[in-house]
Amino acid sequence: EADIYQTPRYLVIGTGKKITLECSQTMGHDKMYWYQQDPGMELHLIHYSYGVNSTEKGDLSSESTVSRIRTEHFPLTLESARPSHTSQYLCASSKPHYNEQFFGPGTRLTVL
Amino acid sequence: EDQVTQSPEALRLQEGESSSLNCSYTVSGLRGLFWYRQDPGKGPEFLFTLYSAGEEKEKERLKATLTKKESFLHITAPKPEDSATYLCAVLLGFGNEKLTFGTGTRLTIIP
């Protein structure tokens, strides 16, 4: 059973605010991912990590940053939110040598 | 350019009416193809992984199959609770851990 958590589930903030989206998993998975998904559109990979102190940019250019200080924790930060950042953000993880990714419930972000 | 295309975009079926969803891909070095189910406002839920042409996987009313160019998700005698968006994703060549997703098929089962 996949145990991956994201907080907050919904966030409405004003332009220019700094925000951090939290993602935690209790499965001990090494690999973690952040995706962005707009309604009716495909998931786009924005960041991923192969383990502690490893972070890479994904295929979709993003103004966000990530960190991986602990195996279970992979937060995403936007230094200055803009309306173009409005989207659903999905966190996922997978275990070593396996490719199945397990997703969290997502954070729906709205920037006014 | 690597592409994943799902069809149809949307499908409405009567309860009990079987059908198939398609995922076609134009990629080189396919390492795996994945099916997910996504309910509105939630993250995708993993269903199946297929690794080689001819492989089949089943789970309740769902069966996934894979050929060299496409995959099908067959739904037999669906129920309203099967209504969701079904996503497929491909994993490319060695050293690349990134999934490429299609846009999904939105399935509605009418009671």
Side-chain angles (χ1 to χ4, degrees), chain A residues 9 31 33 35 37 40-43 45 48 50 59 88 90 99-106, chain B residues 31 34 36 38 41-46 49 51 87 91 95-103:
Chain A
R9 292 293 316 278
K31 294 184 278 189
Y33 313 82
Y35 290 88
Q37 185 184 32
M41 303 297 289
E42 62 265 52
L43 280 73
L45 182 68
Y48 60 102
Y50 289 143
D59 298 323
Q88 167 139 306
L90 292 161
N99 302 309
E100 294 86 356
Q101 295 182 15
F102 298 96
F103 285 82
Chain B
R31 287 174 58 202
F34 304 81
Y36 286 85
Q38 186 174 26
K42 296 187 177 181
E45 174 190 347
F46 171 74
T49 307
Y51 289 106
L87 305 171
L91 182 67
N96 185 341
E97 302 296 328
K98 297 179 281 186
L99 293 182
T100 299
F101 281 84
T103 54

Side-chain angles (χ1 to χ4, degrees), chain B residues 57-74:
Chain B
K57 295 271 181 74
E58 284 190 69
K59 180 180 180 180
E60 297 181 356
R61 295 176 291 282
L62 300 177
K63 183 169 83 172
T65 62
L66 181 65
T67 72
K68 289 186 177 180
K69 292 294 184 185
E70 59 192 347
S71 176
F72 291 94
L73 185 66
H74 307 278

Side-chain angles (χ1 to χ4, degrees), chain A residues 72-85:
Chain A
E72 63 271 21
H73 194 214
F74 191 40
L76 180 144
T77 298
L78 278 167
E79 291 292 333
S80 180
R82 295 208 297 266
S84 60
H85 296 140

